[in-house]
Amino acid sequence: MNEARASGAWVIFATFICAYLLAVLPFPLWAEWARPEWVALVLIYWVVALPQRVGIVVAFSAGLMLDLIEGAVLGQNAFSLSVVACLALVMYQRLRVFNLWQQAGVVFMLLGIHQMLCQWIQNLTSAGAQSLLFLLPALVGAALWPGVLLFLRHLRRSLHVH
């Protein structure tokens, strides 16, 4: 039983590593504003799928790591991902019964909250965007949510992560 839990933790960790790699993958300059928030998408999935294992502590740790990788203000992503995880924990049971497109709408709002909190912190340091383009990753992430959900669900079920 401990081996199953350890392998489950390894799968969760590996998906976050992949999300970090996708987060720093070079994008063409014209598409940089549309870069999806991969770490937030993976976090939302695991919070909804396994709320007893992935929660606010994991979100805070994942956010700190993202701050270090992106060179953001230390604590910016940690704070915003913790808020997103808290909101996802509050409504994970409702999210599970929604269809894919309803879930995508909720994910859009969660990613939008993440983006707005990060933008607010960046504005405090005079590094924020001057337009609403900073919300574009939330829209792209919501559009990608059905694929992310189906892929991670298949991975979780095939590797028996509980």
Side-chain angles (χ1 to χ4, degrees), residues 16-25 35-43 58-82 111 114-115 118 122:
F16 275 105
I17 295 297
C18 290
Y20 290 130
L21 291 174
L22 288 170
V24 297
L25 190 70
R35 177 187 301 274
E37 289 292 334
W38 294 107
V39 176
L41 283 170
V42 169
L43 175 71
V58 171
F60 188 82
S61 303
L64 277 179
M65 182 61 71
L66 188 58
D67 288 333
L68 293 173
I69 290 172
E70 290 182 342
V73 174
L74 193 60
Q76 168 185 308
N77 287 299
F79 171 67
S80 63
L81 288 178
S82 296
L111 293 175
H114 167 64
Q115 291 297 112
C118 287
Q122 289 172 1

Side-chain angles (χ1 to χ4, degrees), residues 87-108:
L87 292 171
L89 281 168
V90 167
M91 62 177 142
Y92 80 91
Q93 291 176 328
R94 284 179 233 139
L95 260 171
R96 287 180 174 180
V97 296
F98 288 168
N99 67 39
L100 282 176
W101 298 111
Q102 289 171 323
Q103 285 183 13
V106 173
V107 166
F108 172 70

